[in-house]
Amino acid sequence: MPARVEAIGGVNRRPVRQRLLWTVAGFGTLALAACLLAPLVGSTRISLAAAFDRSIPYAENIDAQIFFVARLPRVLAAALVGSALALAGVVFQALLRNPLASPDTLGVSAGAALGAMMAITFGLDFSLLGISAVPLASFAGSMGALAIVYGLSTARRRGTSAVVLLLGGVTVHALLSAVIAFVQYLADFTQTFRNVRWLMGSLDVASYAPIVAALVPLFVAWAGFATLPRVLDLISVGSESAAARGVNIERTERVALVSASLATGAAVSLAGPVSFVGIIVPHLVRLIVGADHRLVLPASALFGGAFLIGCDLVARTIVAPLELPVGIVTAIIGGPVFLWLLFRRM
Amino acid sequence: MAAVPKNVAAIAVAVLIAAFTAGSPEGLRYDDTLARRSALVAQPFRAAPTDVPPRRIISLIPATTEMLFAMGAGDRVAGASNYDRYPPEAARLPKLGGLLDPDIERVIALKPDLVIVYDTQVDLKKQLERARIPIFPYVHRGLADITQTMRALGARVGAKAAADAAATRIEQQLAAVGARVAGRARPKTLLVFGREQGTLRHVNASGGYGFLHDVLEIAGGADVLGDLRKQSVDMSTEMILTRAPEVIIELHYSGEMKPEAFEAERRVWDAMPSVPAVKTGRIYLLDGQEFVVPGPRIVVAAERFARALHPEAFR
């Protein structure tokens, strides 16, 4: 028997490696192209030569400031947020064994929204290493929600079934949404406006400090994701059969839950809730590369970043000089593309 | 038990009446386009005896509350909104909710003979009409609506002479501010209504209309977003850089901001050194409640804008 398993492993290994190479090369090129081209386009025309001209003092160089203050941080934020939400979506869908699961499902993004609403409504005024109150409170909120959901998942010793985790998470989400509504109710007129605007999402971060801050939880999340591809394949079939193959279900589920939640919290505190990326990118990627998580995870990370950079490019140019909230664009572009791919396959 | 069908019948009748009058000229009283044209469209509810001035007025909008006090009718105000802070007497009145959540039961329980509502408070208007309580619907768009509303409100509450005098005084004071800065170069000004504290994210600024836009123009500034037909504009970082305002006026509304907070919030703009206002240090943070209330204190707002824009005219 062991010889046979080895043989199957041997047969599978090479094509997967090759496909992984092709997948990463393909989606990587797309993501890289998006990162390089998107900063060149905007509501105004800039001269790249002037932007990189060292002879013009930076304080006088408007092209450089548009490139380095307005556009580059924004593209980087889009890349990070898009990839974090896509990865979290993949992991939640496998963990909860539900194709409708998304980074919003378990209440982590509702927790992030609650933190931001409280910071705006109660005028919290503090900062840490150049990060202002709203993103800090937002990340704290997402971690609070994670603590509740994690507590639920460990309440039973033998690991929690996907259904219990899903129902518990959805309930936490509903509960936090009600608290959000209550905080909104306490807000006065100008604060309500800012709350609503925050809820529409925005990638216009205007500096690098919030991006660097978001990288801290993202690194932890990436480290967690790196351990997951093979076991997620087994778990998404069913925890019994995964356990039969020697997977430590409990540990895997916790790593998956914590890393996906950290990625979600980092993304939402950086950009506000950007809908649709976390649910549509994983499915789009699966339609292209198949269900193997060794391919789906890296492809989703790369494609999620490229997708959100593209959507944000549309958002900031289509009604220039004004802008559309990026969440509207992700749904309007992503929805039809997804439907087209889905029905073409059928 | 009998009360229930009676209520249902009353509601049905009210709905029918509303349906039938909707098409008639009278039914157009609350039509938004008419209300927009002028605050003068405000008319007393049909059932009210118009020759008797109201004695128990409820004003659910801070601007109209301030107007009533300015025309000497403050002692007849029996209730106000949650957001009324000025004058101090108004802050002590029963608080009856806000634009989105008026406490209709308490409004009716105070037995008012006139309720000033914002024109978009449709449910409140219907319920007051059903309770046969006269209303004065109010809207504001531009600066001219402030004194127009004061005159119309004065006529409605039987304080016409005092209201006219107060309105004329406001117009004269605004004209005096305008005269003071007349003939001076009008700097391209970005009037910021709000942003995320400590960062330049979610900057929301005055567009090409609205009372604060009008006040800015009177005070001798040229709105840098004046070409956009929006009352407020969500500005991207790129847009701030390309519009290159010469002066930035940033409004805060608490009325109790500390000096060190001013300095910290001012420094946030240093991230965009190519903006002329940043280069020359012409960033003014103004803190005061008069900037949110389109009422009589608009004169104070106009003068504070003018002093920031043209300090040399006030030496």
Side-chain angles (χ1 to χ4, degrees), chain B residues 15-72:
Chain B
V15 168
L16 277 177
I17 290 172
F20 280 116
T21 54
S24 71
E26 270 181 343
L28 282 174
R29 258 185 322 146
Y30 301 126
D31 181 79
D32 197 32
T33 50
L34 263 178
R36 268 178 218 193
R37 213 171 293 154
S38 157
L40 289 169
V41 292
Q43 285 172 20
F45 180 64
R46 216 173 304 153
T50 50
D51 46 340
V52 182
R55 306 174 62 80
R56 294 182 60 76
I57 307 169
I58 286 177
S59 163
L60 292 174
I61 304 120
T64 51
T65 311
E66 288 191 29
M67 289 176 192
L68 288 168
F69 277 89
M71 64 181 74

Side-chain angles (χ1 to χ4, degrees), chain A residues 47-48 50 67 80 117 135 165 186 188 236 246 268 272 274-275 290 295 333:
Chain A
S47 152
L48 259 197
F67 189 85
L80 287 179
M117 299 298 97
L165 188 57
L186 296 177
D188 76 21
S236 54
V268 178
V274 179
S275 58
L295 303 177
I333 293 182

Side-chain angles (χ1 to χ4, degrees), chain B residues 30 39-45 53-84 90 93-104 107-108 110-126 128-129 133-140 145-146 148-159 163 293-296:
Chain B
Y30 301 126
L40 289 169
V41 292
Q43 285 172 20
F45 180 64
R55 306 174 62 80
R56 294 182 60 76
I57 307 169
I58 286 177
S59 163
L60 292 174
I61 304 120
T64 51
T65 311
E66 288 191 29
M67 289 176 192
L68 288 168
F69 277 89
M71 64 181 74
D75 54 341
R76 287 189 271 149
V77 181
S81 82
N82 287 358
Y83 302 113
D84 276 276
L93 290 166
K95 298 195 186 321
L96 306 171
L99 181 68
L100 303 176
D101 58 343
D103 190 339
I104 294 169
V107 168
I108 294 173
L110 281 169
K111 295 193 169 48
D113 48 9
L114 182 67
V115 180
I116 304 167
V117 298
Y118 202 78
D119 202 54
T120 54
Q121 292 177 306
V122 180
D123 292 341
L124 175 65
K125 287 196 298 188
K126 274 190 195 142
L128 290 171
E129 243 174 80
I133 296 170
I135 60 171
F136 181 97
Y138 159 81
V139 279
H140 69 79
D145 292 327
I146 295 176
Q148 259 180 35
T149 304
M150 271 186 90
R151 292 195 167 92
L153 188 57
R156 177 65 184 84
V157 303
V293 182

Side-chain angles (χ1 to χ4, degrees), chain B residues 196-207:
Chain B
E196 200 178 295
Q197 269 180 354
T199 73
L200 289 178
R201 296 190 69 180
H202 296 298
V203 172
N204 182 258
S206 162

Side-chain angles (χ1 to χ4, degrees), chain B residues 149-220:
Chain B
T149 304
M150 271 186 90
R151 292 195 167 92
L153 188 57
R156 177 65 184 84
V157 303
K160 189 174 185 315
D164 283 349
T168 306
R169 199 161 54 244
I170 290 171
E171 284 160 355
Q172 284 167 347
Q173 285 169 322
L174 286 173
V177 172
R180 196 131 188 188
V181 298
R184 292 173 192 273
R186 304 166 70 80
K188 281 198 297 177
T189 306
L190 176 65
L191 178 56
V192 177
F193 292 158
R195 63 174 164 82
E196 200 178 295
Q197 269 180 354
T199 73
L200 289 178
R201 296 190 69 180
H202 296 298
V203 172
N204 182 258
S206 162
Y209 70 87
F211 76 98
L212 286 168
H213 165 83
D214 296 344
V215 171
L216 177 67
E217 298 281 332
I218 282 187

